[in-house]
Amino acid sequence: MTTTDPRENRENGERQGIQSVEMAMRVLLALETGGGALSLSAIAQASGMQPSKVHRYLVSLGRIGLTSQDPASGLYDFGAAMRRLGAESLRRTNEVAVASGHATRLRDRTGHSVNLAVWGDRGPIVVSWAYGTRPLPLTVRVGATLPLLTSSVGQVFLAHLPESLTDEVLGGELRGKEADWPAERLTATRAQIREQGHVVTHSGVIPGIVSVAAPVFAANDPLPLAVSVVLPESLATPEHLAEVTGELHDTVAAASHELGHLS
């Protein structure tokens, strides 16, 4: 007689999972990617399932409040329970901790130092710094405030924050430098950063240092975080800088997605 180890049964069960739960999640993900209320046929197409099967899942999901159907249009959307779950999930999310994890993995992939900054009353504040394997002629402490105009993370905030939040800090930095930063240059800088999704500074704060930064967004939060990769000018060849920038874009996209931002 052959006996089966109970631990093997448990492990097999964990690997197999519950298919009906996974199928229901495909329906919910179809609603998420749809960006609004959808018809039954649209949900079926997006989830890769037959309409009759999708309808059965929608009935069950509707009974527990995860989906709802508009009586007038017949379109389906998230229900009240789903909205409560989403709100509670966001409430429990530590945005800095999530972004810091992605920043550390970016450091591991590139070998360069990576920092994370948030917006404070006097400008961008460094909240984490992961040192890379390449030596740098600077030491940055957590809690340091970076300039708005000359640092890469500062320009990220300049481009993406409402001007009402940055005007006071910007005004202080512009005193005596208005000729270098006329209104036209500020407008063009903001537009360029938004369009390309990142900013590169050469010797902006420290001579011989190149920094490339990009924003991390959270759901329903107008205040982004900024991730910056810092490397010596001697290593910043066009090819390597393009490689690092690509890794940075992948990182901020993954962090923003985990924080619930829909691009």
Side-chain angles (χ1 to χ4, degrees):
M1 180 177 179
T2 302
T3 59
T4 303
D5 188 336
R7 289 173 299 180
E8 183 178 344
N9 286 336
R10 288 197 300 271
E11 290 172 359
N12 287 337
E14 289 172 357
R15 285 196 296 267
Q16 293 172 356
I18 301 175
Q19 188 177 18
S20 60
V21 174
E22 296 171 5
M23 299 297 283
M25 191 63 193
R26 286 170 60 180
V27 173
L28 294 174
L29 288 174
L31 282 171
E32 177 200 3
T33 56
L38 298 175
S39 65
L40 175 61
S41 60
I43 298 172
Q45 181 177 5
S47 62
M49 299 162 57
Q50 292 296 319
S52 58
K53 188 173 186 178
V54 171
H55 183 262
R56 292 195 296 272
Y57 278 103
L58 286 169
V59 170
S60 294
L61 292 168
R63 286 174 180 167
I64 57 176
L66 294 179
T67 63
S68 62
Q69 184 180 25
D70 186 279
S73 66
L75 299 179
Y76 294 89
D77 207 341
F78 289 135
M82 176 61 77
R83 290 190 289 272
R84 291 195 299 272
L85 286 171
E88 180 60 17
S89 176
L90 291 174
R91 187 189 69 80
R92 298 184 187 189
T93 299
N94 184 327
E95 297 172 359
V96 171
V98 169
S100 293
H102 286 276
T104 299
R105 291 188 286 276
L106 175 62
R107 184 275 311 271
D108 295 340
R109 293 197 304 274
T110 64
H112 296 301
S113 297
V114 176
N115 70 72
L116 176 68
V118 300
W119 182 254
D121 292 339
R122 294 179 291 110
I125 298 175
V126 176
V127 292
S128 74
W129 183 281
Y131 283 97
T133 58
R134 277 78 168 185
L136 293 171
L138 77 164
T139 300
V140 178
R141 62 179 177 81
V142 172
T145 299
L146 298 175
L148 189 62
L149 287 173
T150 56
S151 70
S152 61
V153 295
Q155 290 191 24
V156 166
F157 287 111
L158 179 69
H160 291 282
L161 287 181
E163 293 182 26
S164 59
L165 291 178
T166 60
D167 274 351
E168 183 176 352
V169 175
L170 179 61
E173 292 191 16
L174 281 176
R175 290 189 186 98
K177 303 177 183 177
E178 292 86 353
D180 296 331
W181 287 91
E184 295 80 5
R185 181 183 178 185
L186 288 171
T187 299
T189 298
R190 289 185 174 107
Q192 181 182 14
I193 295 170
R194 290 169 189 155
E195 180 180 356
Q196 65 188 16
H198 68 273
V199 57
V200 180
T201 57
H202 295 260
S203 301
V205 179
I206 302 293
I209 293 297
V210 173
S211 177
V212 52
V216 173
F217 296 98
N220 302 319
D221 190 345
L223 304 181
L225 299 89
V227 176
S228 174
V229 183
V230 183
L231 59 156
E233 183 87 50
S234 59
L235 297 178
T237 63
E239 296 78 14
H240 186 59
L241 194 56
E243 180 183 348
V244 169
T245 301
E247 292 283 358
L248 175 62
H249 275 276
D250 290 343
T251 295
V252 296
S256 297
H257 180 76
E258 186 173 347
L259 291 172
H261 177 69
L262 298 177
S263 57

